[in-house]
Amino acid sequence: MSKLDEMGQKVRKLQLRAAVAKMKLRGLAEDLPEKWTEIEELAEETSAVFAELDGAKRELAAMKKLR
């Protein structure tokens, strides 16, 4: 498997993780105000996943450009 294929797989996995994190955050919002103490932790986790996804997408784009 080429590095480009590996990066494509990484992006797809991160997209799935990001979608799951987004849905958890949305679900938590529906449980407010009872679970307000969980907002910060879940928001940080979601932000970290999206930041990692953004970096991987940029790296994949750069790899495709060099092809």
Coordinates of all heavy atoms in Angstrom, one line a residue:
M1 N 0.8 -1.2 0.0 CA 0.0 0.0 0.0 C 0.9 1.2 0.0 O 1.9 1.3 0.8 CB -0.9 0.0 1.2 CG -1.9 1.1 1.2 SD -3.0 1.2 2.7 CE -3.7 -0.5 2.8
S2 N 0.6 2.2 -0.8 CA 1.4 3.4 -0.9 C 1.1 4.4 0.2 O 0.1 4.2 0.9 CB 1.1 4.1 -2.3 OG -0.2 4.7 -2.2
K3 N 2.0 5.3 0.4 CA 1.8 6.3 1.5 C 0.5 7.1 1.2 O -0.2 7.5 2.2 CB 3.0 7.2 1.5 CG 4.3 6.6 1.9 CD 4.3 6.4 3.4 CE 5.6 5.8 3.9 NZ 5.6 5.5 5.3
L4 N 0.2 7.4 0.0 CA -1.0 8.1 -0.4 C -2.2 7.3 0.0 O -3.2 7.9 0.6 CB -1.0 8.4 -1.9 CG -2.1 9.3 -2.4 CD1 -2.0 10.7 -1.8 CD2 -2.1 9.4 -3.9
D5 N -2.2 6.0 -0.2 CA -3.4 5.2 0.2 C -3.5 5.1 1.7 O -4.6 5.2 2.2 CB -3.2 3.8 -0.4 CG -3.3 3.7 -1.9 OD1 -4.0 4.6 -2.5 OD2 -2.8 2.7 -2.4
E6 N -2.3 5.0 2.4 CA -2.4 5.0 3.8 C -2.9 6.3 4.4 O -3.7 6.3 5.4 CB -1.0 4.8 4.4 CG -0.4 3.4 4.2 CD 1.0 3.2 4.6 OE1 1.6 4.1 5.2 OE2 1.6 2.1 4.3
M7 N -2.5 7.4 3.8 CA -3.0 8.7 4.3 C -4.5 8.8 4.0 O -5.3 9.4 4.8 CB -2.3 9.9 3.7 CG -2.7 11.2 4.2 SD -2.6 11.4 6.0 CE -0.9 11.3 6.3
G8 N -5.0 8.3 2.9 CA -6.4 8.3 2.6 C -7.2 7.5 3.6 O -8.3 8.0 4.0
Q9 N -6.7 6.4 4.0 CA -7.3 5.6 5.0 C -7.4 6.3 6.3 O -8.4 6.3 7.1 CB -6.6 4.2 5.2 CG -7.0 3.2 4.2 CD -6.4 1.8 4.5 OE1 -5.4 1.7 5.2 NE2 -7.1 0.8 4.1
K10 N -6.3 7.0 6.7 CA -6.2 7.7 7.9 C -7.3 8.8 7.9 O -8.0 9.0 8.9 CB -4.8 8.3 8.1 CG -4.7 9.1 9.4 CD -3.3 9.7 9.6 CE -3.1 10.5 10.9 NZ -1.8 10.9 11.1
V11 N -7.4 9.5 6.8 CA -8.4 10.6 6.7 C -9.8 10.0 6.9 O -10.6 10.5 7.6 CB -8.3 11.4 5.4 CG1 -9.5 12.2 5.1 CG2 -7.0 12.2 5.4
R12 N -10.1 8.9 6.2 CA -11.4 8.3 6.4 C -11.7 7.8 7.8 O -12.8 8.1 8.3 CB -11.6 7.1 5.4 CG -11.7 7.5 4.0 CD -12.1 6.4 3.0 NE -11.0 5.4 2.9 CZ -9.9 5.6 2.1 NH1 -9.8 6.7 1.4 NH2 -9.0 4.6 2.0
K13 N -10.7 7.3 8.5 CA -10.9 6.9 9.9 C -11.2 8.1 10.8 O -12.0 8.1 11.7 CB -9.7 6.1 10.4 CG -9.6 4.7 9.8 CD -8.4 4.0 10.3 CE -8.3 2.6 9.7 NZ -7.1 1.9 10.2
L14 N -10.4 9.2 10.5 CA -10.6 10.4 11.3 C -12.0 11.0 11.0 O -12.6 11.6 11.9 CB -9.5 11.4 11.0 CG -8.1 11.0 11.7 CD1 -7.0 11.9 11.1 CD2 -8.2 11.2 13.2
Q15 N -12.4 10.9 9.8 CA -13.7 11.5 9.4 C -14.8 10.7 10.2 O -15.8 11.4 10.7 CB -14.0 11.4 7.9 CG -13.3 12.4 7.1 CD -13.4 12.1 5.6 OE1 -13.5 11.0 5.2 NE2 -13.3 13.2 4.9
L16 N -14.7 9.4 10.4 CA -15.6 8.7 11.2 C -15.5 9.1 12.7 O -16.6 9.3 13.3 CB -15.3 7.2 11.0 CG -16.2 6.2 11.8 CD1 -17.7 6.4 11.4 CD2 -15.8 4.8 11.6
R17 N -14.3 9.2 13.2 CA -14.2 9.6 14.6 C -14.8 11.0 14.8 O -15.4 11.2 15.8 CB -12.7 9.6 15.0 CG -12.1 8.2 15.3 CD -10.7 8.2 15.7 NE -10.4 9.2 16.8 CZ -9.3 9.8 17.0 NH1 -8.2 9.5 16.2 NH2 -9.1 10.6 18.0
A18 N -14.6 11.9 13.9 CA -15.1 13.2 14.0 C -16.6 13.2 14.0 O -17.3 14.0 14.7 CB -14.6 14.1 12.8
A19 N -17.2 12.4 13.1 CA -18.7 12.3 13.0 C -19.2 11.8 14.3 O -20.2 12.3 14.9 CB -19.1 11.4 11.9
V20 N -18.6 10.8 14.9 CA -19.0 10.2 16.2 C -18.9 11.3 17.3 O -19.8 11.4 18.1 CB -18.2 8.9 16.5 CG1 -18.5 8.5 18.0 CG2 -18.6 7.8 15.6
A21 N -17.8 12.0 17.3 CA -17.6 13.0 18.3 C -18.7 14.1 18.2 O -19.2 14.6 19.2 CB -16.2 13.6 18.2
K22 N -19.0 14.5 17.0 CA -20.0 15.5 16.8 C -21.4 15.0 17.3 O -22.1 15.8 17.9 CB -20.0 15.8 15.3 CG -21.1 16.9 14.9 CD -21.0 17.3 13.5 CE -21.6 16.3 12.6 NZ -21.7 16.7 11.2
M23 N -21.7 13.8 17.0 CA -23.0 13.3 17.4 C -23.0 13.2 19.0 O -24.1 13.5 19.6 CB -23.2 11.9 16.8 CG -23.4 11.9 15.3 SD -24.7 13.1 14.8 CE -26.1 12.3 15.4
K24 N -21.9 12.8 19.6 CA -21.9 12.8 21.1 C -22.1 14.2 21.6 O -22.9 14.4 22.6 CB -20.5 12.3 21.6 CG -20.4 10.8 21.5 CD -19.0 10.4 22.0 CE -18.7 8.9 21.9 NZ -17.4 8.6 22.5
L25 N -21.5 15.2 21.0 CA -21.6 16.6 21.5 C -23.1 17.0 21.3 O -23.7 17.7 22.2 CB -20.7 17.5 20.7 CG -20.4 18.8 21.3 CD1 -19.9 18.8 22.7 CD2 -19.4 19.6 20.4
R26 N -23.7 16.7 20.2 CA -25.1 17.0 19.9 C -26.0 16.3 20.9 O -26.9 16.9 21.4 CB -25.4 16.6 18.5 CG -26.9 17.0 18.1 CD -27.1 16.7 16.7 NE -26.4 17.7 15.9 CZ -26.1 17.5 14.6 NH1 -26.6 16.4 13.9 NH2 -25.5 18.4 13.9
G27 N -25.7 15.1 21.2 CA -26.5 14.3 22.2 C -26.4 14.9 23.6 O -27.4 15.0 24.3
L28 N -25.2 15.4 23.9 CA -25.0 16.0 25.2 C -25.8 17.3 25.3 O -26.4 17.6 26.3 CB -23.5 16.3 25.4 CG -23.2 17.0 26.7 CD1 -23.6 16.2 28.0 CD2 -21.7 17.3 26.8
A29 N -25.9 18.0 24.2 CA -26.6 19.3 24.2 C -28.1 19.0 24.5 O -28.8 19.8 25.1 CB -26.5 20.0 22.8
E30 N -28.6 17.9 24.0 CA -30.0 17.5 24.3 C -30.3 17.2 25.7 O -31.4 17.3 26.2 CB -30.4 16.4 23.4 CG -30.5 16.8 21.9 CD -30.7 15.6 21.0 OE1 -30.9 14.5 21.5 OE2 -30.8 15.8 19.8
D31 N -29.2 16.8 26.4 CA -29.3 16.4 27.8 C -29.1 17.6 28.8 O -29.0 17.4 30.0 CB -28.4 15.3 28.2 CG -28.7 14.0 27.5 OD1 -29.9 13.8 27.2 OD2 -27.8 13.2 27.3
L32 N -28.9 18.8 28.2 CA -28.7 19.9 29.1 C -30.0 20.3 29.8 O -31.1 20.1 29.2 CB -28.2 21.1 28.3 CG -26.7 20.9 27.8 CD1 -26.3 22.1 26.9 CD2 -25.8 20.7 28.9
P33 N -30.0 20.9 30.9 CA -28.9 21.3 31.7 C -28.3 20.3 32.7 O -27.4 20.5 33.3 CB -29.5 22.5 32.5 CG -30.9 22.1 32.7 CD -31.3 21.4 31.5
E34 N -28.9 19.1 32.7 CA -28.5 18.1 33.6 C -27.0 17.7 33.5 O -26.3 17.5 34.5 CB -29.3 16.8 33.5 CG -30.7 16.9 34.0 CD -31.6 17.4 32.9 OE1 -31.3 17.3 31.7 OE2 -32.6 18.0 33.2
K35 N -26.5 17.6 32.3 CA -25.1 17.1 32.1 C -24.1 18.2 31.7 O -23.2 18.0 31.0 CB -25.1 16.0 31.1 CG -25.8 14.7 31.5 CD -25.6 13.6 30.5 CE -26.3 12.4 31.0 NZ -26.0 11.2 30.2
W36 N -24.4 19.4 32.2 CA -23.6 20.6 31.8 C -22.1 20.4 32.2 O -21.2 21.0 31.6 CB -24.1 21.9 32.4 CG -24.0 22.0 33.9 CD1 -24.8 21.5 34.8 CD2 -22.9 22.5 34.6 NE1 -24.4 21.8 36.1 CE2 -23.1 22.4 36.0 CE3 -21.7 23.1 34.2 CZ2 -22.2 22.8 36.9 CZ3 -20.8 23.5 35.2 CH2 -21.1 23.3 36.5
T37 N -21.8 19.6 33.2 CA -20.4 19.4 33.7 C -19.6 18.6 32.7 O -18.4 18.7 32.7 CB -20.4 18.7 35.0 OG1 -21.1 17.4 34.9 CG2 -21.1 19.5 36.1
E38 N -20.2 18.0 31.7 CA -19.5 17.2 30.8 C -19.1 17.9 29.5 O -18.4 17.5 28.6 CB -20.3 15.9 30.4 CG -20.6 15.0 31.6 CD -21.5 13.9 31.2 OE1 -21.6 13.5 30.0 OE2 -22.2 13.4 32.1
I39 N -19.7 19.1 29.4 CA -19.5 19.9 28.1 C -18.0 20.2 27.8 O -17.6 19.9 26.7 CB -20.3 21.3 28.2 CG1 -21.8 21.0 28.2 CG2 -19.9 22.1 27.0 CD1 -22.6 22.2 28.5
E40 N -17.3 20.7 28.7 CA -15.9 21.1 28.4 C -15.1 19.9 28.0 O -14.4 20.0 27.0 CB -15.3 21.7 29.7 CG -13.9 22.4 29.4 CD -13.4 23.1 30.6 OE1 -14.1 23.3 31.6 OE2 -12.3 23.6 30.5
E41 N -15.1 18.8 28.7 CA -14.3 17.6 28.3 C -14.7 17.1 26.9 O -13.8 16.9 26.1 CB -14.5 16.5 29.3 CG -13.7 15.3 29.0 CD -14.0 14.2 30.1 OE1 -14.5 14.4 31.1 OE2 -13.6 13.0 29.7
L42 N -16.0 17.0 26.7 CA -16.4 16.5 25.4 C -16.1 17.5 24.2 O -15.7 17.0 23.1 CB -17.9 16.1 25.4 CG -18.4 15.4 24.2 CD1 -17.6 14.1 24.0 CD2 -19.9 15.0 24.4
A43 N -16.2 18.7 24.5 CA -15.9 19.7 23.5 C -14.4 19.7 23.2 O -14.0 19.8 22.0 CB -16.3 21.1 24.0
E44 N -13.5 19.5 24.2 CA -12.1 19.4 23.9 C -11.7 18.2 23.1 O -10.9 18.3 22.2 CB -11.3 19.4 25.3 CG -11.3 20.8 26.0 CD -10.7 20.7 27.4 OE1 -10.3 19.6 27.8 OE2 -10.6 21.8 28.0
E45 N -12.4 17.1 23.4 CA -12.1 15.9 22.7 C -12.6 16.0 21.2 O -11.9 15.7 20.3 CB -12.9 14.7 23.3 CG -12.4 14.2 24.6 CD -13.3 13.2 25.3 OE1 -14.2 12.6 24.6 OE2 -13.0 12.9 26.5
T46 N -13.7 16.6 21.0 CA -14.2 16.9 19.7 C -13.3 17.8 18.9 O -13.0 17.6 17.7 CB -15.7 17.5 19.7 OG1 -16.5 16.6 20.5 CG2 -16.3 17.7 18.4
S47 N -12.9 18.9 19.6 CA -12.0 19.8 18.9 C -10.7 19.1 18.5 O -10.2 19.4 17.4 CB -11.7 21.0 19.9 OG -10.8 21.9 19.3
A48 N -10.1 18.3 19.4 CA -8.9 17.6 19.1 C -9.0 16.7 17.9 O -8.1 16.6 17.0 CB -8.4 16.8 20.3
V49 N -10.1 16.0 17.8 CA -10.4 15.1 16.6 C -10.5 15.9 15.3 O -9.9 15.5 14.3 CB -11.6 14.2 16.8 CG1 -12.0 13.5 15.6 CG2 -11.5 13.3 18.0
F50 N -11.2 17.0 15.4 CA -11.3 17.8 14.2 C -10.0 18.5 13.8 O -9.7 18.6 12.6 CB -12.4 18.9 14.3 CG -13.8 18.3 14.0 CD1 -14.6 17.8 14.9 CD2 -14.3 18.4 12.7 CE1 -15.9 17.3 14.6 CE2 -15.5 17.9 12.3 CZ -16.3 17.3 13.3
A51 N -9.2 18.8 14.8 CA -7.9 19.4 14.5 C -7.0 18.3 13.8 O -6.3 18.6 12.8 CB -7.2 19.9 15.7
E52 N -7.0 17.1 14.3 CA -6.3 16.0 13.7 C -6.7 15.7 12.3 O -5.9 15.5 11.4 CB -6.4 14.8 14.6 CG -5.4 13.7 14.2 CD -5.5 12.5 15.2 OE1 -6.2 12.5 16.2 OE2 -4.8 11.5 14.8
L53 N -8.0 15.7 12.1 CA -8.6 15.5 10.8 C -8.2 16.6 9.8 O -7.8 16.3 8.7 CB -10.1 15.5 10.9 CG -10.9 15.4 9.5 CD1 -10.5 14.2 8.7 CD2 -12.4 15.4 9.8
D54 N -8.2 17.8 10.3 CA -7.8 19.0 9.4 C -6.3 18.8 9.0 O -6.0 19.0 7.8 CB -8.0 20.3 10.1 CG -7.7 21.5 9.3 OD1 -8.3 21.6 8.2 OD2 -6.8 22.3 9.6
G55 N -5.5 18.4 9.9 CA -4.1 18.2 9.6 C -3.9 17.1 8.6 O -3.1 17.2 7.7
A56 N -4.6 16.0 8.8 CA -4.5 14.9 7.9 C -5.0 15.2 6.5 O -4.4 14.8 5.5 CB -5.2 13.7 8.4
K57 N -6.1 16.0 6.4 CA -6.6 16.4 5.1 C -5.6 17.3 4.4 O -5.4 17.1 3.2 CB -7.9 17.2 5.3 CG -9.1 16.3 5.5 CD -10.3 17.2 5.6 CE -11.6 16.4 5.7 NZ -12.8 17.3 5.8
R58 N -4.9 18.2 5.1 CA -3.9 19.1 4.5 C -2.7 18.2 4.0 O -2.2 18.5 2.9 CB -3.5 20.1 5.5 CG -4.5 21.2 5.8 CD -4.0 22.1 6.9 NE -5.1 22.9 7.4 CZ -5.3 24.2 7.0 NH1 -4.4 24.7 6.1 NH2 -6.2 24.9 7.4
E59 N -2.3 17.3 4.8 CA -1.2 16.4 4.4 C -1.5 15.6 3.2 O -0.7 15.4 2.3 CB -0.8 15.5 5.6 CG 0.5 14.8 5.4 CD 0.9 14.0 6.6 OE1 0.5 14.3 7.7 OE2 1.7 13.1 6.4
L60 N -2.8 15.1 3.1 CA -3.2 14.3 2.0 C -3.2 15.2 0.7 O -2.8 14.7 -0.3 CB -4.6 13.7 2.2 CG -5.2 12.9 1.1 CD1 -4.3 11.7 0.8 CD2 -6.6 12.4 1.5
A61 N -3.7 16.4 0.9 CA -3.8 17.3 -0.3 C -2.4 17.6 -0.8 O -2.1 17.7 -2.0 CB -4.5 18.6 0.1
A62 N -1.4 17.8 0.1 CA -0.1 18.1 -0.3 C 0.5 16.9 -1.0 O 1.3 17.0 -2.0 CB 0.8 18.5 1.0
M63 N 0.2 15.7 -0.5 CA 0.8 14.5 -1.1 C 0.2 14.3 -2.5 O 0.9 13.9 -3.4 CB 0.4 13.2 -0.3 CG 1.2 13.2 1.1 SD 0.6 11.8 2.1 CE 1.4 10.4 1.4
K64 N -1.1 14.6 -2.7 CA -1.7 14.5 -4.0 C -1.1 15.6 -5.0 O -0.9 15.3 -6.2 CB -3.2 14.7 -3.9 CG -3.9 13.5 -3.3 CD -5.4 13.7 -3.3 CE -6.1 12.5 -2.8 NZ -7.6 12.8 -2.8
K65 N -0.8 16.7 -4.4 CA -0.2 17.8 -5.3 C 1.2 17.4 -5.8 O 1.6 17.8 -6.9 CB -0.1 19.1 -4.4 CG -0.1 20.3 -5.2 CD -0.1 21.5 -4.2 CE -0.6 22.7 -4.9 NZ -0.6 23.9 -4.0
L66 N 2.0 16.7 -5.0 CA 3.3 16.3 -5.3 C 3.4 15.1 -6.3 O 4.4 14.8 -6.9 CB 4.1 15.9 -4.1 CG 4.4 17.1 -3.2 CD1 5.1 16.6 -1.9 CD2 5.3 18.1 -3.9
R67 N 2.3 14.5 -6.5 CA 2.2 13.3 -7.3 C 2.5 13.5 -8.7 O 2.5 14.3 -9.5 CB 0.7 12.7 -7.3 CG 0.7 11.3 -7.0 CD -0.7 11.0 -6.5 NE -1.3 10.0 -7.4 CZ -2.6 9.9 -7.6 NH1 -3.4 10.7 -7.0 NH2 -3.2 9.1 -8.3

